Amino acid sequence: MKNERLLGFVRSFSSFLAVDRSEPAILVEGARLLASLVEQDDWLQEEFARPDPTFYQQYLLYADPLERFSMVSFVWGPGQKTPVHDHMTWGLIGMLRGQELDTRFHLQADGSLKPGETRILAPGQVAYVSPATHDVHQVANYYSDQTSISIHVYGGNIGRISRHVFDPSTGTPKTFISGYGNDVVPNLWR
Ligand SMILES: [Fe+2]
């Protein structure tokens, strides 16, 4: 029963991609499907919801065999946050549990990156990133005393994509490939 919701998303999103691969349409339909996935917090298996005491975790939930998209659970321990980073592809962020702070960064004339607006994401809400509009941000757990979890969908195999973290004061990029925190993925037919 538990993974039926996840399977439902994978099926619906895969079916959608079979007929429409345009990013604006993907972001609208993907956000609608992701919102319906995260509106209930009763499906994520415990092993993909486990925080690490030191680092935030990125667990692969599903990767499309053609690498058209991937899904991960991001698990934030108390007070944990990402560096300023990009994605090099579109991404949808659906808040499942707790809350997180999503801060966009804007490139300045001197090459530095300046923090802009910060959005608080509450359970059920969906945000997005895109190289076409805004791809650089920093995400932090809103809470200093509890775990927060968001479900992300990306337009590629995000754990294998070469992308960047930035020193915001200089804008200097450093290449990284994130990988995934898990060696096994959920059994969607459990
Ligand atoms: Fe991100």
Side-chain angles (χ1 to χ4, degrees):
M1 159 63 194
K2 266 193 164 182
N3 286 337
E4 280 177 12
R5 290 191 200 287
L6 184 54
L7 175 60
F9 177 93
V10 168
R11 275 192 174 137
S12 299
F13 194 59
S14 299
S15 298
F16 179 76
L17 288 179
V19 296
D20 196 339
R21 297 287 304 280
S22 70
E23 184 175 308
I26 288 170
L27 290 176
V28 170
E29 181 62 7
R32 187 186 74 76
L33 292 170
L34 186 58
S36 84
L37 178 65
V38 298
E39 77 180 4
Q40 299 198 59
D41 182 11
D42 63 355
W43 57 270
L44 185 64
Q45 285 177 238
E46 193 277 332
E47 53 265 56
F48 308 112
R50 206 173 283 155
D52 176 273
T54 309
F55 299 109
Y56 63 89
Q57 293 295 298
Q58 179 173 258
Y59 299 111
L60 178 65
L61 299 180
Y62 181 80
D64 175 64
L66 303 180
E67 298 190 296
R68 296 171 302 176
F69 74 99
S70 57
M71 291 185 74
V72 300
S73 59
F74 254 88
V75 182
W76 315 91
Q80 291 175 352
K81 65 181 177 183
T82 69
V84 178
H85 65 278
D86 68 10
H87 312 84
M88 307 294 284
T89 182
W90 59 262
L92 289 158
I93 301 157
M95 201 69 215
L96 183 72
R97 191 178 306 171
Q99 294 192 110
E100 66 189 35
L101 299 167
D102 178 6
T103 304
R104 290 185 184 186
F105 278 73
H106 303 283
L107 184 62
Q108 306 299 295
D110 65 0
S112 66
L113 289 162
K114 190 175 171 191
E117 58 277 35
T118 293
R119 181 177 174 190
I120 299 175
L121 285 178
Q125 290 186 320
V126 174
Y128 75 96
V129 293
S130 165
T133 53
H134 62 286
D135 193 31
V136 180
H137 73 164
Q138 182 173 41
V139 183
N141 191 345
Y142 177 83
Y143 294 104
S144 58
D145 60 352
Q146 71 181 68
T147 298
S148 292
I149 301 174
S150 48
I151 306 300
H152 299 199
V153 183
Y154 296 99
N157 187 352
I158 193 66
R160 305 280 290 176
I161 292 175
S162 180
R163 49 199 180 111
H164 311 93
V165 294
F166 299 92
D167 175 345
S169 64
T170 62
T172 304
K174 188 177 151 197
T175 301
F176 83 109
I177 296 174
S178 67
Y180 298 109
N182 50 327
D183 293 323
V184 296
V185 292
N187 176 1
L188 300 185
W189 288 268
R190 193 168 76 135

